[in-house]
Amino acid sequence: MLAVALFWPLAAHLGRDIPLDLGDPLSQSWQVAWDGHALAHQPLHLFQSNQFWPLPDSLAFSDALIGYAPAGLLGHGVHAAVARYDVLWLLAFALAFLGTYLLARELGAPPWAAAVGAAAFAFSPWRLEQGGHLHVLSSGGIPLALMLLLRGLRRDRARLLLGGFAVAAWQVSLGFSLGLPLLYLLVALGLVAAILWLRAGRPAPPRRMLAAAAAGVVLLAGVSLALARPYVRVLHDHPEAKRSSVTVSRYSGPPRMFLTAPETSLIWGAATKPIRDGLHAIPEQTLFPGLIIVLLALAGLGWTGWPRALRIGLGLAVLALAVLSLGFQQHGVGAWLPYRALYEVVPGWRGIRVPGRLHTLTTLALALLAAAGAARVLSAAVRRPRLGAAAGALLVACVLAEGAGVRAGHHGQALAAYPHPRVPAQPARLTGLRAPLLQLPTAPDDNRRYLIWSTDGFAPMVNGRSSFEPRFFGAVIMHTRCFPDAASIAYLHRVGVRTVVVHTELAPPPRPPDCGPPSDARQVRRGPLLITRIGR
């Protein structure tokens, strides 16, 4: 309900509007829809999607959101795809809140203090800029998995322990941008648990716990390896997909990133504009965690309700993760930042393009310390239970206010002003055409529209949108720059394209002056569509 209220009226326009912008949310809506379609019709070929035809494993060109595949079974077509995405987007905030609340409670935080920590993680200001990245917002499985693992170990509950590994596997299935850091976090926590076990004199655990732990590790490793296979094949088949050090450094940034709030932040957007204007990759470099959250976290370092080792560990985690979130630079002192070691040495780490994704774990540690800080503040300031609840609710409201968003450039509007543009309607008579299709023009935003429109039948098409541009698609763009000349039509016939659709309502790129005369291929106008049939 908090997400519904903060981002109202999105919930009143499910299937019509989409959060933040018409960029990545459109392609991710298509991803979830494809996941469900493939699960129902080709479960053994899940990654062979209808984009970037005829390239294999095209779903693995970016984080595939496989964990949302069951949701993709519900509904059909463009409206259902957008409505499904809207619901999952709102639920991502809810799960992040619930998982952090349960983890803070398991660690011993009082209810209202745990609620403050949950709000601090789920609605941290930096998340506003991630509104178009469902795979980044969908981080609630991390605290939920940690809670289940911790509770299972503390209470000798094998089912809870196994459930923790299952939730972690689900989190990994949403994408390796967060899944890979989670895997290494679990390895690090496993080493800490082993050290504590040795210091305790190596007590013999119950067999059912050993069996549950072994089964959980096998489950998590099996899911991770199965999902990694198509990504490994993509890296082998498409060298252009590899994250070079130049790419990673482009998305890295200076420490002032932590002082930069998104433009849509109600409270801090305008105040941090001078800092934000000096950044070159704003969506990946606006990492402001919230002033109130930081102050509460500092207070939490001194809360005696938690063991000193836990507070110190969380504090060190915040510092270490914050430094890692800076990434590294190609030259100067920034070239020696510790993230470079992860990139060079740790298996799989080169697949992560944006170091700032680690900020998810930074804000989780901050949120837990903020819960401790809230407990310290509430216990010191309020002695009566009713007043304590009111003070706790006030702290939650303050954290939520920092995480509230408005439409960029219109600060002071109601909270409902967080951007939620209307999804472009699918052109009439686009479906039913002979596939494979090529749709023109091929600008990134245009390709995202074609993807969401393709959910009505999932016709194979050369167009697509991912975190890199496949060489084949680049070649198609180059060979069709003079379309509909004879050379481009001959090329498309040779590669197997059967229909070309030109969206005349979209702005085409300027026609090069060296292009030859148009071909005499038969073209049919259907509303805003100019359709050319290639071959027989």
Side-chain angles (χ1 to χ4, degrees), residues 280-348:
H280 62 273
I282 290 177
E284 290 78 20
Q285 295 177 336
T286 49
L287 303 183
F288 181 61
L291 178 61
I292 295 175
I293 295 171
V294 171
L295 293 177
L296 287 173
L298 290 174
L301 290 172
W303 186 51
T304 57
W306 278 355
R308 183 182 179 186
L310 175 59
R311 289 178 277 127
I312 293 177
L314 288 173
L316 292 176
V318 168
L319 294 176
L321 290 166
V323 171
L324 290 174
S325 297
L326 297 174
F328 61 83
Q329 301 299 323
Q330 288 294 99
H331 308 286
V333 178
W336 300 96
L337 288 172
Y339 190 91
R340 187 66 181 254
L342 293 180
Y343 175 82
E344 297 288 353
V345 176
V346 177

Side-chain angles (χ1 to χ4, degrees), residues 206-470:
R207 288 187 177 180
R208 67 180 186 281
M209 294 296 291
L210 290 175
V217 170
V218 170
L219 172 64
L220 179 57
V223 169
S224 302
L225 292 174
L227 292 174
R229 288 184 63 189
Y231 289 93
V232 172
R233 291 196 296 264
V234 166
L235 289 174
H236 177 269
D237 297 339
H238 302 276
E240 66 273 20
K242 295 181 180 179
R243 317 301 195 191
S244 68
S245 61
V246 175
T247 300
V248 175
S249 65
R250 186 182 304 126
Y251 291 104
S252 302
R256 67 175 182 273
M257 294 191 300
F258 300 111
L259 301 176
T260 309
E263 188 178 12
T264 53
S265 174
L266 172 65
I267 295 177
W268 299 108
T272 61
K273 185 179 185 301
I275 308 175
R276 188 171 56 250
D277 289 345
L279 301 175
H280 62 273
I282 290 177
E284 290 78 20
Q285 295 177 336
T286 49
L287 303 183
F288 181 61
L291 178 61
I292 295 175
I293 295 171
V294 171
L295 293 177
L296 287 173
L298 290 174
L301 290 172
W303 186 51
T304 57
W306 278 355
R308 183 182 179 186
L310 175 59
R311 289 178 277 127
I312 293 177
L314 288 173
L316 292 176
V318 168
L319 294 176
L321 290 166
V323 171
L324 290 174
S325 297
L326 297 174
F328 61 83
Q329 301 299 323
Q330 288 294 99
H331 308 286
V333 178
W336 300 96
L337 288 172
Y339 190 91
R340 187 66 181 254
L342 293 180
Y343 175 82
E344 297 288 353
V345 176
V346 177
W349 211 271
R350 291 197 178 195
I352 297 180
R353 182 179 58 165
V354 182
R357 299 288 188 251
L358 284 174
H359 199 54
T360 297
L361 298 180
T362 309
T363 54
L364 178 58
L366 271 175
L368 294 174
L369 282 174
R376 183 181 181 186
V377 170
L378 293 175
S379 62
V382 180
R383 301 297 180 184
R384 299 174 61 181
R386 290 186 179 180
L387 291 178
L394 179 61
L395 282 179
V396 171
C398 291
V399 171
L400 293 177
E402 276 200 305
V406 295
R407 188 179 302 279
H410 294 81
H411 299 285
Q413 291 184 359
L415 299 185
Y418 185 77
H420 51 93
R422 182 173 296 190
V423 175
Q426 179 184 5
R429 306 189 71 176
L430 180 60
T431 59
L433 300 176
R434 190 178 182 188
L437 306 174
L438 170 64
Q439 302 191 59
L440 301 174
T442 56
D445 286 344
D446 299 329
N447 290 321
R448 293 182 178 104
R449 295 187 182 199
Y450 307 152
L451 279 174
I452 190 63
W453 291 340
S454 78
T455 57
D456 188 5
F458 293 101
M461 63 180 183
V462 180
N463 306 82
R465 185 62 186 157
S466 69
S467 57
F468 72 97
E469 183 180 280

